[in-house]
């Protein structure tokens, strides 16, 4: 069985830089990490891996994203692929999903594709389902447990807030792992040394069959247009009240009314 995990390299802190002209995040930086929710998806793949199964990881990003892919190899994954091209810069969720879909199709056939629930930088939780839609395969989100996996189907539980639903889905399919579904393992020093000279397979737009349709990727292929993005200014002004609870309660109401919040 071929299993693929989609991951993303994200800023390691909230102190990120923005391109003033394009309004997009500057991602080619050393202060990055593997997206936390994607770690749960990687661990899920490693947990369900059988003897002859192969786990691959894929990401789209700048060349520096290789670091996150190499981390997945040190965790126990077998192969990794990096989609990188200047034409991918500024992609919204749809353009990202289109690029990943084409890259996945270029690599080969996968029985099970796993994604994290969402990313810490975009937080949209849309890319996974969009990839599935573009690949024309069934999908499910908020997966909390895989109960059974065969060569033809997977039985799993997913969290629908008010209840847990058990589903049976035919393969191939795509599942988005819920947050805290497991405890991701740490990278292995032995595997890190073993893969010291291993490099992810690089894929760019020129490798795509529809390379002449490059306007479907990046800013040109993104229907979402960002008018402005900026870091909020820190507000250090504060007022401390030390009256009794009743007085402070009335004061809060007065403040809300004065600011036309209620």
């Amino acid at each position: 069985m071929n299993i693929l995990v989609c991951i993303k390299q994200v800023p390691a802190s909230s102190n990120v830089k923005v391109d003033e002209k394009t309004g997009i995040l500057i991602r080619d930086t050393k202060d990055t990490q593997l997206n936390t929710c994607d770690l749960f998806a990687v661990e899920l793949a490693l947990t369900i891996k059988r003897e002859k199964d192969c786990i691959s990881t894929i990401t789209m990003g700048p060349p520096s994203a290789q670091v996150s892919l190499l981390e997945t190899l040190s965790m126990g994954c077998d192969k990794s692929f990096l989609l990188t091209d200047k034409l991918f810069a500024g992609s919204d969720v749809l353009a990202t999903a289109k690029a990943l879909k084409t890259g996945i199709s270029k690599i080969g056939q996968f029985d099970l594709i796993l994604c994290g629930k969402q990313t810490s930088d975009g937080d949209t939780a849309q890319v996974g389902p969009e990839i599935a839609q573009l690949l024309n395969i069934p999908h499910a989100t908020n997966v909390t447990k895989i109960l059974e996996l065969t060569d033809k189907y997977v039985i799993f539980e997913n969290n629908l807030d008010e209840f847990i639903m058990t589903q049976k889905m035919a393969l191939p399919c795509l599942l988005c792992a819920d947050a805290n579904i497991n405890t991701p393992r740490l990278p292995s020093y032995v595997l890190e040394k073993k893969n010291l000279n291993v490099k992810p397979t690089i894929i760019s737009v020129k490798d795509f069959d529809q390379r002449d349709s490059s306007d479907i990727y990046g800013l040109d292929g993104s229907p979402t247009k960002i008018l402005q993005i900026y870091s909020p200014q820190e507000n250090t002004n504060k007022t401390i009240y030390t009256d009794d609870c009743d007085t402070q309660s009335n004061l809060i109401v007065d403040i809300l009314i004065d600011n036309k919040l209620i």
Side-chain angles (χ1 to χ4, degrees):
M1 176 178 293
N2 289 323
I3 302 172
L4 178 69
V5 185
C6 298
I7 69 166
K8 187 179 182 182
Q9 182 172 271
V10 297
S13 70
S14 58
N15 185 23
V16 297
K17 296 182 178 180
V18 178
D19 188 304
E20 294 181 358
K21 293 183 178 180
T22 62
I24 61 176
L25 297 179
I26 299 175
R27 299 186 182 278
D28 198 0
T29 172
K30 295 181 180 180
D31 191 19
T32 58
Q33 64 183 21
L34 203 163
N35 181 57
T36 302
C37 285
D38 296 341
L39 284 170
F40 298 126
V42 172
E43 178 62 29
L44 180 59
L46 294 169
T47 302
I48 63 177
K49 180 182 179 181
R50 300 170 299 186
E51 184 177 355
K52 296 182 179 181
D53 291 346
C54 177
I55 300 177
S56 301
T57 54
I58 186 172
T59 191
M60 187 184 86
S64 59
Q66 294 184 61
V67 175
S68 292
L69 288 170
L70 293 175
E71 183 177 343
T72 66
L73 297 182
S74 297
M75 292 176 68
C77 296
D78 304 297
K79 300 177 182 179
S80 62
F81 300 87
L82 173 62
L83 289 178
T84 186
D85 199 297
K86 290 183 178 179
L87 290 173
F88 296 146
S91 295
D92 68 357
V93 289
L94 181 58
T96 297
K98 287 180 178 179
L100 285 168
K101 176 264 179 183
T102 307
I104 292 170
S105 300
K106 178 72 177 178
I107 296 168
Q109 298 292 323
F110 292 95
D111 303 291
L112 180 63
I113 300 176
L114 299 175
C115 300
K117 179 180 180 179
Q118 60 201 63
T119 58
S120 60
D121 55 352
D123 223 21
T124 65
Q126 295 177 13
V127 173
E130 287 181 348
I131 292 174
Q133 186 70 19
L134 293 168
L135 289 171
N136 195 30
I137 59 175
H139 76 278
T141 60
N142 299 73
V143 175
T144 57
K145 182 185 295 185
I146 290 184
L147 302 174
E148 183 179 354
L149 177 64
T150 73
D151 292 334
K152 294 184 178 181
Y153 64 84
V154 58
I155 299 177
F156 58 91
E157 294 180 350
N158 61 322
N159 183 2
L160 299 182
D161 290 336
E162 295 183 359
F163 57 90
I164 301 295
M165 181 168 66
T166 301
Q167 294 191 65
K168 180 179 181 181
M169 189 171 287
L171 301 182
C173 68
L174 183 148
L175 304 178
C176 296
D178 198 17
N180 303 315
I181 183 177
N182 49 43
T183 301
R185 67 194 68 188
L186 295 173
S188 164
Y189 176 75
V190 174
L191 290 176
E192 184 177 347
K193 295 289 289 184
K194 178 182 177 182
N195 296 318
L196 195 60
N197 297 318
V198 175
K199 300 294 182 183
T201 300
I202 305 297
I203 302 174
S204 64
V205 171
K206 67 180 181 180
D207 299 311
F208 291 174
D209 293 334
Q210 62 267 47
R211 52 184 175 271
D212 294 332
S213 302
S214 57
D215 59 341
I216 67 175
Y217 311 114
L219 283 173
D220 291 339
S222 300
T224 304
K225 303 301 179 184
I226 300 175
L227 299 179
Q228 184 181 16
I229 184 170
Y230 58 90
S231 299
Q233 295 182 351
E234 183 178 0
N235 185 358
T236 58
N237 297 329
K238 62 181 179 181
T239 303
I240 300 176
Y241 300 99
T242 57
D243 299 313
D244 58 84
C245 292
D246 290 338
T247 302
Q248 290 194 55
S249 298
N250 293 328
L251 183 59
I252 291 174
V253 173
D254 291 337
I255 293 173
L256 292 174
I257 293 175
D258 290 341
N259 286 275
K260 298 181 179 181
L261 298 175
I262 59 173

